């Protein structure tokens, strides 16, 4: 599959392949594109394997448009939209390996439903502690 045309809305990057099929994925996976201006987003090149924004130092593979999870889970969305949270310290506070949590957040590994629920419950626990303070 090769994307021939791209466009954006407020939440997603869209692509259309040579057969006219449309694909999309969340801009949360691409923070530089998410915060880029319209002009910066238009300044890209199509390569053999993907799209490159030289000025933003960002790449999106054609293959990524076909991933099953085009959008982040609720847990991933939380961490991707709250960059102020120290992931390593959060992971340690719940007894989780920080690298593993980063892999879950970035989609390199997929947590079990039970593990994802544990992470979400820990987020809620910390939120309640903050409200009580």
């Amino acid at each position: 599959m090769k994307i021939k045309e791209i466009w954006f809305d407020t939440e997603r990057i869209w692509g259309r392949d040579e057969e006219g099929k449309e694909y999309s994925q969340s801009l949360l996976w691409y923070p530089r594109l998410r915060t880029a201006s319209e002009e910066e987003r238009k300044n890209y090149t199509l390569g053999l394997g993907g799209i490159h924004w030289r000025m933003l130092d960002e790449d999106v593979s054609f293959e990524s448009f076909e991933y099953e999870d085009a959008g982040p889970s609720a847990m991933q969305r939380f961490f991707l939209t709250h960059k102020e949270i120290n992931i390593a310290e959060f992971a340690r506070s719940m007894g989780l390996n920080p690298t593993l949590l980063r892999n879950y957040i970035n989609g390199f590994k997929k947590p079990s439903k039970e593990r994802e629920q544990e992470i979400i419950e820990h987020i809620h626990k910390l939120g309640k502690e903050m409200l009580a303070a």
Side-chain angles (χ1 to χ4, degrees):
M1 185 264 293
K2 184 170 182 176
I3 298 293
K4 295 289 188 180
E5 175 187 3
I6 65 164
W7 66 97
F8 297 85
D9 64 23
T10 57
E11 299 289 321
R12 306 186 78 69
I13 177 174
W14 291 83
R16 184 174 294 121
D17 69 14
E18 59 273 349
E19 297 172 4
K21 185 172 179 185
E22 292 182 0
Y23 303 85
S24 74
Q25 53 185 307
S26 174
L27 283 172
L28 288 176
W29 298 122
Y30 308 102
R32 290 184 198 114
L33 281 175
R34 184 173 176 232
T35 58
S37 69
E38 191 68 29
E39 194 61 38
E40 290 171 319
R41 288 178 177 177
K42 288 180 182 178
N43 190 12
Y44 65 89
T45 56
L46 295 173
L48 295 175
I51 310 158
H52 178 65
W53 287 264
R54 189 171 148 268
M55 298 305 288
L56 297 173
D57 190 28
E58 188 73 82
D59 294 289
V60 176
S61 71
F62 294 141
E63 177 187 14
S64 66
F65 281 94
E66 296 182 296
Y67 290 167
E68 192 173 306
D69 297 331
S73 69
M75 182 268 301
Q76 290 168 317
R77 182 174 290 280
F78 174 80
F79 286 104
L80 291 170
T81 58
H82 292 283
K83 297 290 189 180
E84 69 276 12
I85 294 175
N86 182 315
I87 293 169
E89 292 304 320
F90 178 91
R92 285 186 194 101
S93 74
M94 66 176 290
L96 185 63
N97 179 296
T99 300
L100 183 59
L101 180 57
R102 282 189 196 89
N103 284 332
Y104 290 158
I105 293 166
N106 294 315
F108 301 132
K109 291 193 175 204
K110 188 168 179 123
S112 66
K113 291 205 179 282
E114 295 81 14
R115 176 57 61 105
E116 188 166 357
Q117 188 59 42
E118 287 175 30
I119 295 167
I120 291 170
E121 287 173 6
H122 195 66
I123 293 168
H124 289 195
K125 177 184 170 234
L126 292 178
K128 288 176 185 173
E129 288 174 9
M130 294 296 291
L131 286 172

